[in-house]
Amino acid sequence: MAKWIWLKNGQMVDSHADFYIPLRFSGEKTEIKLSVDSDYTLYVNGKFVSCNQYRDYPFYKIYDEIDITDYLVKGENAIAIEVWYYGAPNWSYYTSNAGLWYEIFQDGTKVKESDEDTLSRLSPLYQNKLQRKISPQIGWGYHYIAANEDGWRTKLVDGFEPSAIAGEGIMENPLPRPIKRMDILPAAESTFVRESNNRILYDLGKETVGFPTLRLTSPVKQKLRLMWGEHIEDGQVRDVIGCRNFYVDLTVDEGVTEFSNYLRRFGCRYLEIGYETPVKVDYLTVFPCFYPVNIVPFTCKNELRQRIYDTALRTLWLCMHDHYEDCPWREQAMYIGDSRNQSLCGYYAFKEYEFPRAALYLTSKNDHREDGLLTSCTPYKGDMHPIPSAFPSSPAAFITSVYEYCLHSKDYAFIPEVYPRLKRLAELYFERMEGGLIPIFPEADGCWNFYEWAEGLSYYMGQRPATASPFDAALNCRVSWALGYLHQLCEWAGIESDYKQRQEALNKRIHETWFNKNTGFIQNRTDEEFYSEYVNSMAVLCGAVTGEEAAHIAEGLVNDKMSTCSLAWKCLKYDALIKVNKEKYRDYILNDIDQRYKKMLDAGATTFWETVVGANDFDNAGSLCHGWSAMPIYYYQTLGADKD
């Protein structure tokens, strides 16, 4: 029986281990099942085969099954596995113990498995214990030392020794990967731009996600900096932005260095090499990586709308690897609210259901906070203090996502698999109710009462006015909206519930508390006569306002009577307008999308941005490829933009 193994000298934070497995081959179909904490690259006879550990939990551990037959030669073969153990959390990784687990089968018979006899070593090819973060969401960068390459991927070299049993607390028998592995394509074309200030700049021509590859010649041994970014507004790549470091180090020897690395995806358009002594670069590019999908054809007669649709589709696709991720450059994390928007677009762009199902199931395992809330990302343990680890509105977004998945896939059998978690999340809200309303959650417990990047809805931790009401209309509307969907899920699954009655009672209290009869709008809070598109749209969607009141709010939405939604949540505004009168507001919605997204295209965008401000938003860290901005896919299809 395969065992979890690791180096004999134990584990250390941010370390790289090499595992060498000799294998005899005489023509049989040969497959390997492989799982690690935290990530891996697999080579057979020195050739790259596969990479990318599925983002999972130690109690829900996933293995890849990889056919390596075509990489083998008759006789003796070398299987090499590089494992990178993070050992510290990031927003896409749940902290666990180091470990490698594998089984090798030939014609269905197991011939090798991980045990103490597997040879391993601490890798000399990387600086271990470097612990330099790219960002809190992505985690560590690396320092590769080309001078220490010793051919270990093709033959056994000195320094290897038997492994030790490890992996305490990790699932003993991992489960098969629930989705397909991503496709890694041949190297993308890149163009030399210029050399200045000890930097050599290359342009991939458009936003791309992939693994770096290069060949260069250095006259001396030296440390180089490999940088990536989405723009060159400063004349070069912004490699350091506050606490973020968009670079890795390469120590190269005198002469030619060829380097390809599959342990960290770069989301970028530009790549740059920084040097002390000038080098000659033969090529610098990436191997693009995509999740395999079938693209549903969609053709608009309107040329602008076709460009917007195609760009939105590329944006969505570049944010799709282990799961939907918010952006491939800065974070690569699955935020629950973001992924809801992305999944909705994916149902139309790809008719894709396996991918969101796996992500939703993984999120249902997100149950390790003492208060029962979801952490802001999955899988994320939430122990990176003082960073807040939970958005109290996320459970409502998760319930919405499960409903929309079942609506589009008709996979009602999925509901019982996740319903216990959905029920518990709903109960968290009910347990906190005071006077029929849900108060905000305590910041001291790592809760950020954040709703969206708009005025009055995005107070950072500690910035909420001390005199502010402890009740937000945004949270209560969001929960009400989700309760309606939870009621429908229960009906599909034949589960008795009182969610509809609870929604109606909550809607009554929302209306009584926040509806301003003088303006006809819903206030954000009782102590502040402030109105937002976000809150008023959700009040319409959840049914807290109906009939003539909803129609009045719709007119306020189209006539800019409220604080505007950010690009991320314009979908709430559009959905509210559709609910009030789809035919009346159809053209307004399509034209509003055209106007906003055309500005980005006119600015040279090849994918759509996090906000319309672009790269200079969020203290110069605005993303230029953000999954939530793919929403034109949904509206162009459901509103029939191809008919105009």
Side-chain angles (χ1 to χ4, degrees):
M1 181 176 175
K3 303 171 185 176
W4 285 94
I5 59 173
W6 194 245
L7 307 178
K8 260 191 175 177
N9 60 355
Q11 61 186 31
M12 63 180 75
V13 174
D14 188 13
S15 58
H16 298 254
D18 299 332
F19 293 85
Y20 181 88
I21 308 162
L23 181 69
R24 187 153 191 84
F25 176 71
S26 57
E28 310 93 335
K29 180 178 181 180
T30 305
E31 296 172 303
I32 183 171
K33 294 179 179 180
L34 170 63
S35 183
V36 306
D37 188 307
S38 306
D39 211 348
Y40 76 88
T41 307
L42 170 67
Y43 297 88
V44 175
N45 296 323
K47 294 181 179 178
F48 166 76
V49 178
S50 184
C51 64
N52 183 225
Q53 171 66 36
Y54 182 79
R55 293 293 183 248
D56 52 20
Y57 289 109
F59 49 83
Y60 174 65
K61 198 65 187 166
I62 301 301
Y63 68 77
D64 285 336
E65 187 167 5
I66 306 160
D67 188 337
I68 61 174
T69 309
D70 292 344
Y71 296 88
L72 299 170
V73 297
K74 290 196 174 175
E76 291 297 325
N77 292 263
I79 297 176
I81 306 171
E82 295 181 358
V83 181
W84 187 4
Y85 173 59
Y86 303 155
N90 60 58
W91 286 31
S92 297
Y93 166 68
Y94 187 101
T95 313
S96 182
N97 287 308
L100 163 69
W101 177 99
Y102 71 84
E103 295 178 330
I104 299 175
F105 294 83
Q106 292 186 324
D107 282 347
T109 300
K110 188 194 297 186
V111 295
K112 294 270 186 176
E113 62 184 13
S114 48
D115 57 20
E116 299 95 322
D117 293 333
T118 302
L119 299 174
S120 60
R121 70 174 182 181
L122 183 67
S123 177
L125 305 181
Y126 294 90
Q127 180 180 336
N128 293 292
K129 300 191 291 184
L130 176 63
Q131 299 184 47
R132 182 183 62 228
K133 287 181 181 175
I134 296 171
S135 70
Q137 292 83 359
I138 290 179
W140 308 129
Y142 55 79
H143 175 191
Y144 167 75
I145 306 168
N148 290 345
E149 283 285 358
D150 56 8
W152 79 276
R153 299 180 192 89
T154 59
K155 61 185 178 182
L156 184 61
V157 299
D158 292 340
F160 281 83
E161 62 179 344
S163 299
I165 301 302
E168 182 180 354
I170 303 180
M171 187 178 192
E172 188 173 347
N173 294 305
L175 302 168
R177 191 180 185 101
I179 60 173
K180 295 182 281 291
R181 288 184 290 122
M182 61 186 174
D183 290 333
I184 301 176
L185 307 183
E189 290 188 13
S190 64
T191 304
F192 168 78
V193 178
R194 61 174 168 267
E195 182 172 359
S196 62
N197 300 319
N198 284 25
R199 293 181 175 217
I200 303 174
L201 179 66
Y202 276 77
D203 182 3
L204 295 167
K206 58 187 175 183
E207 191 76 20
T208 307
V209 180
F211 299 104
T213 182
L214 62 83
R215 184 174 66 204
L216 57 81
T217 303
S218 175
V220 297
K221 181 176 181 178
Q222 63 175 314
K223 185 162 77 171
L224 308 177
R225 177 172 288 191
L226 171 57
M227 300 158 277
W228 67 95
E230 298 184 304
H231 62 86
I232 49 173
E233 291 193 7
D234 307 325
Q236 60 188 30
V237 167
R238 285 181 187 164
D239 52 316
V240 178
I241 306 174
C243 66
R244 303 176 180 96
N245 302 286
F246 297 100
Y247 68 89
V248 295
D249 290 323
L250 313 176
T251 293
V252 299
D253 224 338
E254 177 184 350
V256 176
T257 295
E258 293 188 10
F259 169 77
S260 299
N261 184 281
Y262 302 91
L263 291 171
R264 189 62 83 207
R265 295 191 302 272
F266 292 0
C268 61
R269 174 171 173 172
Y270 296 94
L271 293 163
E272 199 164 32
I273 284 284
Y275 57 77
E276 295 179 357
T277 302
V279 297
K280 177 183 178 295
V281 176
D282 295 320
Y283 60 80
L284 172 58
T285 184
V286 298
F287 298 116
C289 55
F290 292 91
Y291 187 77
V293 295
N294 295 314
I295 296 174
V296 176
F298 185 78
T299 304
C300 289
K301 298 174 185 176
N302 182 307
E303 182 181 348
L304 171 63
R305 288 180 179 169
Q306 187 67 58
R307 288 180 62 207
I308 290 173
Y309 187 91
D310 292 344
T311 306
L313 189 143
R314 181 171 179 82
T315 303
L316 181 66
W317 201 9
L318 289 180
C319 297
M320 189 178 187
H321 293 95
D322 289 336
H323 44 59
Y324 283 117
E325 57 201 36
D326 60 332
C327 63
W329 166 62
R330 191 187 68 215
E331 300 194 358
Q332 300 180 10
M334 182 171 66
Y335 288 87
I336 294 164
D338 295 26
S339 62
R340 175 264 168 178
N341 290 4
Q342 293 167 276
S343 296
L344 188 59
C345 293
Y347 300 140
Y348 291 86
F350 311 126
K351 298 294 182 188
E352 170 59 54
Y353 307 117
E354 177 184 69
F355 190 80
R357 188 190 202 278
L360 291 168
Y361 185 75
L362 185 67
T363 302
S364 76
K365 302 290 185 184
N366 184 333
D367 190 15
H368 33 271
R369 281 180 56 100
E370 289 185 9
D371 58 13
L373 283 172
L374 299 166
T375 56
S376 51
C377 299
T378 300
Y380 166 42
K381 191 172 184 179
D383 54 2
M384 293 175 63
H385 298 298
I387 298 174
S389 65
F391 301 143
S393 62
S394 289
F398 178 50
I399 292 168
T400 301
S401 296
V402 173
Y403 162 79
E404 289 173 340
Y405 164 74
C406 294
L407 174 70
H408 289 275
S409 68
K410 310 303 180 189
D411 179 15
Y412 303 136
F414 181 61
I415 300 170
E417 295 184 43
V418 297
Y419 178 69
R421 186 69 176 117
L422 301 182
K423 180 181 179 181
R424 177 63 186 134
L425 291 171
E427 288 171 347
L428 293 178
Y429 293 128
F430 302 151
E431 291 165 0
R432 289 184 54 78
M433 276 188 166
E434 298 176 15
L437 292 173
I438 306 156
I440 61 171
F441 285 66
E443 290 186 355
D445 293 341
C447 297
W448 183 10
N449 294 285
F450 168 90
Y451 306 104
E452 78 123 336
W453 295 111
E455 186 178 357
L457 296 166
S458 61
Y459 293 116
Y460 282 103
M461 300 281 285
Q463 292 184 345
R464 187 185 181 94
T467 57
S469 165
F471 296 92
D472 287 344
L475 178 61
N476 284 270
C477 288
R478 190 69 191 249
V479 172
S480 172
W481 191 27
L483 289 177
Y485 289 143
L486 193 50
H487 164 75
Q488 182 60 69
L489 287 167
C490 287
E491 283 208 333
W492 284 335
I495 300 170
E496 288 189 14
S497 77
D498 62 352
Y499 296 126
K500 190 64 176 176
Q501 293 88 338
R502 286 183 175 272
Q503 182 191 33
E504 291 169 353
L506 181 55
N507 281 344
K508 182 180 178 182
R509 291 293 292 123
I510 290 169
H511 193 279
E512 291 171 350
T513 306
W514 289 295
F515 184 75
N516 187 311
K517 293 180 180 178
N518 295 325
T519 62
F521 300 144
I522 296 285
Q523 295 183 192
N524 278 19
R525 299 198 308 265
T526 53
D527 58 314
E528 182 182 36
E529 192 174 331
F530 182 81
Y531 308 97
S532 66
E533 290 182 346
Y534 182 92
V535 166
N536 280 270
S537 297
M538 282 204 300
V540 171
L541 291 169
C542 74
V545 290
T546 58
E548 292 183 3
E549 291 177 351
H552 175 72
I553 285 178
E555 284 301 298
L557 291 172
V558 299
N559 289 300
D560 300 323
K561 299 295 186 181
M562 310 167 201
S563 171
T564 187
C565 279
S566 69
L567 198 61
W569 292 109
K570 285 293 178 188
C571 58
L572 295 179
K573 174 179 176 177
Y574 300 152
D575 287 348
L577 294 174
I578 289 170
K579 182 174 181 179
V580 170
N581 192 325
K582 179 177 180 179
E583 183 177 349
K584 178 178 179 180
Y585 294 114
R586 173 190 180 273
D587 289 345
Y588 169 84
I589 295 169
L590 292 176
N591 291 333
D592 193 62
I593 291 171
D594 294 348
Q595 171 200 347
R596 295 179 189 282
Y597 283 78
K598 181 178 183 297
K599 289 180 180 178
M600 289 184 270
L601 291 177
D602 289 346
T606 64
T607 50
F608 289 131
W609 307 343
E610 184 173 12
T611 74
V612 292
V613 176
N616 294 325
D617 210 347
F618 302 107
D619 298 323
N620 292 326
S623 163
L624 300 187
C625 177
H626 220 82
W628 67 36
S629 298
M631 288 305 291
I633 294 169
Y634 172 71
Y635 292 105
Y636 280 5
Q637 289 217 32
T638 58
L639 295 178
D642 55 329
K643 304 298 191 296
D644 295 343

